[in-house]
Amino acid sequence: MVASKCKRQATVVLSCLLIAYMVLSMVLQALAGSVDASLLAFPTGLALGVSAIGFLFVLDREFEDKEWERQLRSRGAACVILVLAVVCSIIGGSLPSSASFHTSWWLLAVLLLLEAHLTLVLIHRLRKCRLGSNGSFFLVHIGLWLALFSAIVGEGDTSDIRALVRVGENISTGISVDGKVRPLGYSLQLYDLKADTDASGMPVQYEAVIAVDSLPLRLAVNAPVSVGLAEDIYLSGYLPAENADGDKSASCILQIVRQPWKYPMLAGLILLMAGMVWYVFTVKPKGRAMPC
């Protein structure tokens, strides 16, 4: 009876805190606008992430016998957070692109909540050394944790730069999405630009030969080239030469995308898929549910 009462009280308190948490995120969105992703750039984002993991480790070690802590890592909490994530995704999908849904405070609040829950569950399971035959559990949870961590922390390190290059021109800077001039760290030169046009003269397919620090590379639409471990150059636009009394040559728009965390995110997704395959073909046929 006492245990049941404590459980109800913990549920009520945690529900109130969750509501207050989400309301706070919406207030921040209304007052401050979208999240400035640059605040999470390396090493700040990584340091905050490691600090949060340490805090949750201490919390699980010191309060693992408390009802409220058990509920934080319960299956019910996971369901509530996932429902919140689905609702946020539906709302975000219906908003115009100008709303910057992916950098909203309320989306960040839900992702942090899910990441904290996964971290607490994994820490508790690893502390108890309950590995056993739960390989699918660890692959799924670690994979999802790594993908989310890479998405949250890596947002501040991701950059999208556009550069307009004319044939024969050499440039070393571009314009980021915030309208600021950014150095590329190398020089770009456009050697050649070819376009296939339709009957109206509109380009339907085009390709370019560029040089990155004098190294020639061939670019085509939807066929980017990599110039580093986590940096790709896309051919995103084409501008023909002026036809009459113009001195401008043909030019193209290059999109330089830097994603330092894309490989950890990819590794997380691979682990997640491997865990689901393991569960479907080895655990589920035996009639066992995936543990939490």
Side-chain angles (χ1 to χ4, degrees):
M1 188 69 174
V2 175
S4 177
K5 183 178 179 180
C6 290
K7 187 174 182 178
R8 285 197 301 270
Q9 290 177 342
T11 301
V12 171
V13 172
L14 291 176
S15 298
C16 292
L17 289 175
L18 177 60
I19 294 172
Y21 174 76
M22 292 306 300
V23 169
L24 177 62
S25 70
M26 294 177 184
V27 170
L28 284 172
Q29 182 67 31
L31 295 178
S34 299
V35 181
D36 184 0
S38 63
L39 296 177
L40 296 177
F42 182 85
T44 304
L46 184 59
L48 289 174
V50 173
S51 299
I53 294 172
F55 170 78
L56 292 172
F57 176 84
V58 174
L59 185 144
D60 183 70
R61 185 186 63 186
E62 299 297 327
F63 302 102
E64 62 178 324
D65 295 328
K66 302 294 184 180
E67 179 60 35
W68 60 267
E69 200 274 344
R70 282 196 291 268
Q71 288 205 34
L72 282 176
R73 49 181 166 82
S74 66
R75 187 174 298 177
C79 291
V80 170
I81 298 171
L82 288 174
V83 169
L84 273 175
V86 170
V87 171
C88 283
S89 299
I90 293 174
I91 295 174
S94 63
L95 295 175
S97 57
S98 58
S100 301
F101 166 69
H102 71 287
T103 57
S104 62
W105 282 98
W106 43 288
L107 176 62
L108 178 62
V110 173
L111 294 180
L112 289 176
L113 201 60
L114 179 56
E115 186 73 356
H117 172 78
L118 287 169
T119 304
L120 200 58
V121 169
L122 287 169
I123 287 174
H124 184 77
R125 185 61 64 93
L126 290 171
R127 282 186 60 244
K128 299 301 179 181
C129 297
R130 292 163 60 184
L131 298 175
S133 59
N134 298 329
S136 61
F137 167 88
F138 283 103
L139 284 180
V140 168
H141 285 71
I142 291 175
L144 182 55
W145 182 92
L146 183 58
L148 277 176
F149 187 84
S150 301
I152 295 171
V153 176
E155 180 66 23
D157 297 315
T158 300
S159 65
D160 186 344
I161 299 174
R162 307 298 173 99
L164 177 65
V165 192
R166 295 185 177 89
V167 173
E169 188 179 42
N170 195 308
I171 66 169
S172 58
T173 60
I175 307 296
S176 62
V177 291
D178 58 4
K180 296 180 180 179
V181 177
R182 304 289 185 185
L184 299 178
Y186 46 78
S187 64
L188 287 174
Q189 186 175 4
L190 179 60
Y191 286 160
D192 190 23
L193 182 61
K194 296 179 180 179
D196 296 327
T197 59
D198 57 19
S200 63
M202 296 296 294
V204 293
Q205 177 66 26
Y206 42 92
E207 63 178 30
V209 178
I210 66 170
V212 179
D213 283 342
S214 301
L215 176 66
L217 299 170
R218 184 175 296 276
L219 274 174
V221 177
N222 298 322
V225 295
S226 297
V227 294
L229 187 62
E231 183 167 346
D232 300 308
I233 299 179
Y234 295 81
L235 182 60
S236 64
Y238 162 79
L239 296 174
E242 291 187 359
N243 295 323
D245 299 325
D247 56 356
K248 290 185 178 180
S249 58
S251 58
C252 66
I253 300 173
L254 301 179
Q255 180 182 13
I256 300 95
V257 180
R258 294 169 178 166
Q259 297 174 301
W261 289 83
K262 72 174 182 178
Y263 290 112
M265 183 183 293
L266 179 61
L269 294 175
I270 291 174
L271 289 176
L272 176 61
M273 290 187 290
M276 293 304 301
V277 170
W278 188 344
Y279 172 72
V280 169
F281 289 100
T282 64
V283 179
K284 191 174 182 180
K286 297 179 182 179
R288 300 200 306 269
M290 183 174 290
C292 290

